[in-house]
Amino acid sequence: MPDDYNPATVADVRRLRDTLEQQGKKLVFTNGCFDLLHAGHVRYLEQARALGDAMVVALNSDQSVRQLKGPDRPLNPEHDRAEVMSALRAVDAVVVFDDERATALIEAIRPHVYAKGGDYTVESLNREERAALESAGTQICILPLVPGRSTTKTINKMQAGDSSAPGSGLLRLAVLGSGAGSNLRAIIAAIQSNTLRAEVAITLSDQADSGFREIARTAGLPALFVDGGDNPRRLSDAAQKEIFEHLERARIDVVVLAGFMRILKEPVISAYAGRIVNVHPSLLPKFKGANAPQLAIDEGELESGCTVHLVTAEIDGGRILGQAKVPVKLGDTAETLHARIKVEEHKLLPHVLNEWRERGLSVRGAVAS
Ligand code: GRF
């Protein structure tokens, strides 16, 4: 059979929406990756379609699936996913979009109803998407997930016990950062030089334009962005959940906080207990929290340094895995001292991570000893 399928354009969908409106009917909009179609998807789509008179599915392009879910996804290319999706009876049109969020598409299409699957609440929707929906006057409907069905679950099942899976035997890291990203760069360099036997499966930042993300992108790593919410130290509940989902999907062994400026809480803290490390610019337990180099200077310390430690609910309070010292010099500013500390961080962090695997510590679900 000739391959003559083509997804709809945004203009096609907008026309469909306008025609429906003239007839007093409603267009339903939903979006997602729909990589490996399962009964949960089909049931969800049927329910979503019943909210209106026609439905458009906005499908994440291959590039945006990689950004959202990591380098191993999608399993099926966007053209195939679109073709399969358009064959479902609940789906009237499929449009492929290239961004991580569907905001621009919502603004262009102005659907009457927006359906979202999952355990979201209206409050936990992405802020920009929600603002676009509200300004288009779109009705937001959250539909429950079909229990027990998920693409990630299926993939994990298929890969379980497959020792020839790509990267097997390597520590799968998620590196989280908000700033310049020099520790991420040090991890990447250590992996490249084989002094750290690991792979960075995902990087994740709460700062869309950070140096950290730029370093990840330059290295060809998935540079995920999570909108943390308004408080620069707190992560919203939606963001805590989103991070957890990213870690689960990427089957992460160890979470590395490399200058991540917001506080991780549940569900990540419990699910990854004993498997989250942080690098902090002081000799803990001295100078926990922000501005540690300045505090060391203010206290007249003669030496400072860095600490790699496990992350628990107590800020900078988990078990210490390694430390390195540097002198505090006369005339040091917070910047000069911090720069000297970072030189040590760049050696200590990859070293501790590598020791982790060399000592044969079980990482999957176990607390490191
Ligand atoms: C490091 O000094 C680390 O100790 C602290 O944040 C800084 C991150 O630096 N938690 P960078 O973004 O890795 O350059």
Side-chain angles (χ1 to χ4, degrees), residues 172-185 187 200 202-206 212 233 235 239-240 243-244 247 252-266 268-269 272-281 284 306-318 321 338 342 345-346 348-350 352-353 356:
R172 279 177 74 80
L173 307 178
V175 186
L176 276 59
S178 313
S182 65
N183 279 288
L184 171 63
R185 188 189 284 121
I187 289 171
V200 179
I202 54 170
T203 72
L204 197 152
S205 183
D206 60 332
F212 177 91
R233 293 285 288 158
L235 274 173
Q240 302 275 4
I243 292 174
F244 172 71
L247 301 176
I252 293 304
D253 294 321
V254 176
V255 181
V256 183
L257 304 186
F260 190 63
M261 297 312 286
R262 304 206 199 206
I263 299 161
L264 263 188
K265 293 192 175 159
E266 299 302 345
V268 174
I269 286 284
Y272 290 81
R275 298 191 287 149
I276 313 173
V277 298
N278 180 43
V279 54
H280 182 76
L284 289 173
C306 53
T307 304
V308 175
H309 64 96
L310 289 178
V311 172
T312 60
E314 185 197 339
I315 294 171
D316 298 326
L321 301 175
H338 198 174
K342 278 187 165 193
E345 290 182 355
H346 301 159
L348 181 69
L349 181 57
V352 166
L353 291 169
W356 197 313

Side-chain angles (χ1 to χ4, degrees), residues 15-92:
R15 264 194 302 279
L16 170 65
R17 177 251 182 230
D18 290 345
T19 310
L20 287 167
E21 184 159 288
Q22 279 161 18
Q23 300 167 351
K25 292 181 175 170
K26 287 181 182 172
L27 177 69
V28 182
F29 176 104
T30 191
N31 60 298
C33 303
F34 299 101
D35 192 8
L36 201 60
L37 218 55
H38 53 69
H41 289 140
V42 176
R43 281 180 223 164
Y44 162 76
L45 291 166
E46 293 275 343
Q47 282 184 53
R49 172 66 174 75
L51 299 168
D53 302 284
M55 182 164 73
V56 57
V57 176
L59 196 69
N60 287 85
S61 70
D62 290 349
Q63 186 273 124
S64 72
V65 175
R66 269 193 294 279
Q67 288 289 318
L68 285 165
K69 310 226 168 194
D72 302 337
R73 303 280 298 277
L75 301 174
N76 291 302
E78 64 197 35
H79 188 276
D80 289 17
R81 288 184 285 120
E83 190 172 353
V84 169
M85 180 67 35
S86 71
L88 298 179
R89 74 175 160 219
V91 177
D92 298 273

Side-chain angles (χ1 to χ4, degrees), residues 7-229:
T9 64
V10 176
D12 296 336
V13 178
R14 179 58 199 241
R15 264 194 302 279
L16 170 65
R17 177 251 182 230
D18 290 345
T19 310
L20 287 167
E21 184 159 288
Q22 279 161 18
Q23 300 167 351
K25 292 181 175 170
K26 287 181 182 172
L27 177 69
V28 182
F29 176 104
T30 191
N31 60 298
C33 303
F34 299 101
D35 192 8
L36 201 60
L37 218 55
H38 53 69
H41 289 140
V42 176
R43 281 180 223 164
Y44 162 76
L45 291 166
E46 293 275 343
Q47 282 184 53
R49 172 66 174 75
L51 299 168
D53 302 284
M55 182 164 73
V56 57
V57 176
L59 196 69
N60 287 85
S61 70
D62 290 349
Q63 186 273 124
S64 72
V65 175
R66 269 193 294 279
Q67 288 289 318
L68 285 165
K69 310 226 168 194
D72 302 337
R73 303 280 298 277
L75 301 174
N76 291 302
E78 64 197 35
H79 188 276
D80 289 17
R81 288 184 285 120
E83 190 172 353
V84 169
M85 180 67 35
S86 71
L88 298 179
R89 74 175 160 219
V91 177
D92 298 273
V94 178
V95 60
V96 177
F97 72 110
D98 218 20
D99 302 327
E100 285 174 43
R101 307 272 170 221
T103 317
L105 215 53
I106 292 165
E107 285 165 355
I109 295 173
R110 301 177 70 80
H112 302 100
V113 181
Y114 173 80
K116 181 91 186 166
D119 42 1
Y120 280 86
T121 61
V122 173
E123 289 67 40
S124 70
L125 284 177
N126 172 264
R127 269 193 305 181
E128 285 168 18
E129 278 182 7
R130 188 173 159 196
L133 291 164
E134 280 168 0
S135 93
T138 306
Q139 181 195 347
I140 303 174
C141 295
I142 310 288
L143 300 173
L145 272 185
V146 178
R149 308 289 197 291
S150 105
T151 303
T152 307
K153 226 173 168 176
T154 308
I155 295 172
N156 289 350
K157 218 165 160 185
M158 288 163 82
Q159 289 180 339
D162 179 3
S163 57
S164 65
S168 75
L170 298 178
L171 208 53
R172 279 177 74 80
L173 307 178
V175 186
L176 276 59
S178 313
S182 65
N183 279 288
L184 171 63
R185 188 189 284 121
I187 289 171
I188 295 168
I191 290 173
Q192 280 166 354
S193 66
N194 222 12
T195 49
L196 170 57
R197 292 254 307 129
E199 62 180 327
V200 179
I202 54 170
T203 72
L204 197 152
S205 183
D206 60 332
Q207 300 298 320
D209 298 321
S210 50
F212 177 91
R213 277 190 104 200
E214 198 43 50
I215 288 171
R217 281 200 211 96
T218 307
L221 297 171
L224 307 176
F225 167 69
V226 170
D227 179 349

